[in-house]
Amino acid sequence: MILSVLSASDTEEKPTLKDAQEQAGQAAGWVEQNWSNWLSVGLRILLIVVIAFVLRAVIRRTITKFVERMNRRGESGATTALGGLLVNTERRRQRSEAIGSVLRSVASFVILGTAALMVLGAFKINLAPLLASAGVAGVAIGFGARNLVTDFLSGVFMILEDQYGVGDTIDAGVASGEVIEVGLRVTKLRGAEGEIWYVRNGEVKRIGNLSQGWSTAAVDVTVRADEDLDKVRATLTDVAEAMGKSEPWNEMLWGPVEVLGLDSVLLDSMVVGVSAKTMPGKSLTISRELRWRIKRAFDEAGIRIVGGVPVQADGDSPADPSAGVSAPSAYASATSPQSLAASPIQSTNLAK
C-alpha cells in the first residue's frame, strides 16, 4: 500500500507533455487576445511622449527667439544719442531673460504635466482620487507658502510692467537706492552708503522711480529786497547760457535753464526761482553746479545773497542783541517800593 501511494505521488509531480502543451496554448491564446491592446496602449503612450517633447522644444525655442529679438531691439535703440540715454542695455537684457525664464518654466510645466496625466489615463488608471489629492495638497501648500506665492506674482508683474530695472534709483518705501538685481522673489538695492538691501517683492506697496523719463533741478536764490531785479535776471540768464554750452553739463541738461521769476517777496529779502530739466537721476548734480555758478556770478556782480539772519542796511551799526529784551520788572525785587506797597497788610491780634 505504501508503494502504491509513493508511485501515485510521483506520477502527480511530474508534468506530462500534454499538460505543457495545454499551458503553452493558454498563454499563447492570452497573448493573442491582449497583444493588440498592448500595442495600441504602447503606441498611444509613445505618441503622447513624442508630441509632448516636440511641442515643448518648439515652444521653448520660440520663447528664446522672442527674447533674443527683444535684446536686439534694445541694442538697436541704444545706437542713437537719445536712445543711449534712455535705454539701459543691461536692464533690458535682464528683464527679457526673466520673462523668458518664466514663460519657459510655465510652458514646460503645463505640457509635461498634461502629458503625464494622459499617460496615466492610457493605463486606465482612475485619475479622480489623484486629482482630488493634488487639489488638497495644492491648497495646503498655497496657504503655507502664500508669502512666497505673493512675492513671485508681484515680481512677475513688476517685470512685465517694467516698473523698474537694473540701474534705476527707486524708493520702495521699506528701502531706497539703486537697483542692482531684479528677481522674481527679491529685488536687490544698493543704498546711499553702500549697503545692500534685499526687498521682497510682495512687501513693496508703492514704488517711486527716480530714473524714468526726466528730472527737474530747482534752485531758490534769496537776495536782498532792494536789489535790482533786472540785474539779477540778467546775471542768472548769463549763468544759464554759460552752463548750457559747457561740457559735460550740456549733455545732462535736456532743456535750457529757466529763470522762473519771483517766488516770494518779504520785507528784507526776495526769492528768485531757477529750474532746469535734466537727465534722470542728475537733478542733484545740476542743482549743486547751478548754486556754485550763481554764487560766483553774484559775487562778481556785487549782488548779495541773504540767508536766515536779518539784513542790515549799509552804514548801519550792528543791532544790539539786548535791544529786544524787556527791562526787569520792579516787582522782581522784594525790597522795592512797588513790592512793599503791593504786599498784604499784616494781620493784628485783636485779643490784645
Side-chain angles (χ1 to χ4, degrees):
M1 179 152 184
I2 297 175
L3 294 175
S4 62
V5 172
L6 293 174
S7 61
S9 61
D10 293 337
T11 57
E12 290 178 358
E13 292 177 357
K14 294 180 179 179
T16 61
L17 181 59
K18 185 178 181 180
D19 296 336
Q21 291 178 353
E22 290 179 356
Q23 292 178 359
Q26 292 176 359
W30 183 74
V31 171
E32 185 179 359
Q33 292 176 358
N34 296 293
W35 75 271
S36 59
N37 294 332
W38 295 345
L39 183 60
S40 63
V41 171
L43 291 177
R44 187 182 305 170
I45 293 174
L46 180 61
L47 185 62
I48 291 173
V49 172
V50 171
I51 292 177
F53 278 96
V54 171
L55 184 61
R56 177 175 176 268
V58 170
I59 292 180
R60 289 175 66 90
R61 185 175 181 83
T62 303
I63 294 173
T64 302
K65 288 185 177 180
F66 174 72
V67 171
E68 292 177 354
R69 185 178 301 176
M70 290 178 61
N71 290 333
R72 286 197 298 269
R73 287 181 181 178
E75 293 176 358
S76 62
T79 55
T80 62
L82 184 59
L85 297 176
L86 294 177
V87 179
N88 190 324
T89 305
E90 178 64 20
R91 167 183 175 175
R92 182 178 290 273
R93 183 193 64 81
Q94 188 174 11
R95 176 173 174 259
S96 59
E97 288 183 355
I99 295 175
S101 177
V102 172
L103 294 178
R104 284 191 292 266
S105 300
V106 171
S108 299
F109 177 78
V110 172
I111 294 173
L112 296 181
T114 305
L117 294 177
M118 294 178 67
V119 168
L120 293 178
F123 283 113
K124 296 182 179 181
I125 297 176
N126 189 9
L127 300 179
L130 179 62
L131 295 177
S133 302
V136 174
V139 171
I141 294 175
F143 276 110
R146 59 184 181 275
N147 292 332
L148 182 62
V149 174
T150 302
D151 296 341
F152 180 82
L153 293 178
S154 300
V156 169
F157 282 105
M158 286 178 181
I159 293 175
L160 290 177
E161 296 174 359
D162 194 19
Q163 298 179 6
Y164 55 84
V166 175
D168 288 351
T169 301
I170 66 171
D171 182 2
V174 294
S176 60
E178 181 182 356
V179 179
I180 59 178
E181 184 178 344
V182 180
L184 294 177
R185 193 182 68 88
V186 174
T187 297
K188 191 183 296 185
L189 304 178
R190 174 78 67 179
E193 299 180 359
E195 69 276 11
I196 296 179
W197 297 96
Y198 295 87
V199 182
R200 288 172 43 198
N201 295 329
E203 293 182 348
V204 178
K205 303 303 180 183
R206 53 93 176 159
I207 296 175
N209 196 324
L210 308 180
S211 301
Q212 286 185 354
W214 46 269
S215 300
T216 301
V219 176
D220 292 333
V221 183
T222 306
V223 296
R224 293 172 47 173
D226 56 353
E227 293 289 347
D228 187 359
L229 287 177
D230 294 333
K231 183 178 180 182
V232 172
R233 178 184 292 273
T235 305
L236 292 177
T237 303
D238 294 339
V239 171
E241 292 178 355
M243 187 173 179
K245 297 178 181 179
S246 60
E247 296 283 346
W249 312 110
N250 53 355
E251 297 181 357
M252 298 182 186
L253 290 171
W254 283 8
V257 181
E258 299 179 356
V259 181
L260 302 179
L262 286 176
D263 285 344
S264 63
V265 179
L266 303 177
L267 294 177
D268 56 353
S269 64
M270 54 185 177
V271 179
V272 181
V274 180
S275 176
K277 184 180 292 186
T278 69
M279 288 178 56
K282 297 298 182 181
S283 59
L284 184 59
T285 304
I286 296 296
S287 299
R288 291 171 176 171
E289 182 66 18
L290 268 176
R291 294 188 184 96
W292 182 282
R293 291 172 177 261
I294 290 173
K295 179 63 171 64
R296 294 180 59 181
F298 278 13
D299 289 344
E300 294 177 358
I303 302 174
R304 296 183 58 184
I305 298 178
V306 298
V309 297
V311 179
Q312 300 295 331
D314 295 336
D316 294 345
S317 59
D320 186 5
S322 60
V325 180
S326 60
S329 174
Y331 296 96
S333 176
T335 59
S336 64
Q338 291 83 356
S339 298
L340 294 177
S343 61
I345 302 175
Q346 296 292 332
S347 61
T348 57
N349 193 352
L350 299 177
K352 295 180 181 181

